[in-house]
Amino acid sequence: MYQDKIVLCGANSYEEKFYMNPDFDNLPQHIKDELKIMCVLYVHDVGGILTLVFGENGELEFEVTAAEGDPMFDEIGSRLKIKEIQTDEKKQELLTQLQLYYKVFFLGEEIE
């Protein structure tokens, strides 16, 4: 059913918008709120566009893009911010649970 990368959500500092894939509308509201806060704070701090996508194997990946020559985008800050998110215990638990959710409900994998 899902063969390529699937976008979970994203935030865009240029348009000042947050996007949540409607395929994930059944996630609990507090999870969607947490994702929105995380993504919006990221682009507020470093600029650019942050997209959280599930790869073919169900792993949640951070994809970052910026406009060509954007002087406001902080590339080093971007890497540090992603590392901070991935190592934060609370956010790490959220991201792990989202991966499990995706693997079970979208990829049809069995829970061990």
Side-chain angles (χ1 to χ4, degrees):
M1 181 175 165
Y2 289 93
Q3 310 257 324
D4 298 319
K5 292 183 177 183
I6 301 298
V7 173
L8 169 62
C9 61
N12 184 326
S13 69
Y14 305 114
E15 297 177 11
E16 296 184 354
K17 291 187 177 183
F18 173 78
Y19 168 79
M20 184 75 186
N21 185 335
D23 288 347
F24 296 93
D25 280 346
N26 56 351
L27 284 173
Q29 188 60 45
H30 73 279
I31 300 291
K32 293 189 275 189
D33 292 343
E34 187 69 30
L35 287 168
K36 182 175 184 177
I37 291 166
M38 183 175 65
C39 291
V40 169
L41 284 177
Y42 170 91
V43 297
H44 180 277
D45 289 349
V46 300
I49 301 167
L50 172 66
T51 310
L52 298 181
V53 298
F54 290 103
E56 292 179 30
N57 60 358
E59 297 298 312
L60 193 55
E61 303 168 8
F62 289 71
E63 291 187 352
V64 178
T65 54
E68 181 90 24
D70 179 1
M72 300 304 289
F73 179 68
D74 181 0
E75 190 171 335
I76 295 170
S78 169
R79 291 187 193 131
L80 291 172
K81 191 76 171 169
I82 289 172
K83 189 74 164 172
E84 178 184 315
I85 290 169
Q86 292 174 327
T87 57
D88 178 273
E89 195 172 304
K90 184 179 176 187
K91 288 181 178 61
Q92 188 178 36
E93 183 179 337
L94 170 68
L95 298 175
T96 301
Q97 290 174 349
L98 284 166
Q99 287 179 160
L100 180 61
Y101 172 86
Y102 180 78
K103 288 176 181 179
V104 170
F105 291 101
F106 286 76
L107 298 179
E109 293 182 9
E110 296 290 324
I111 298 176
E112 296 178 11

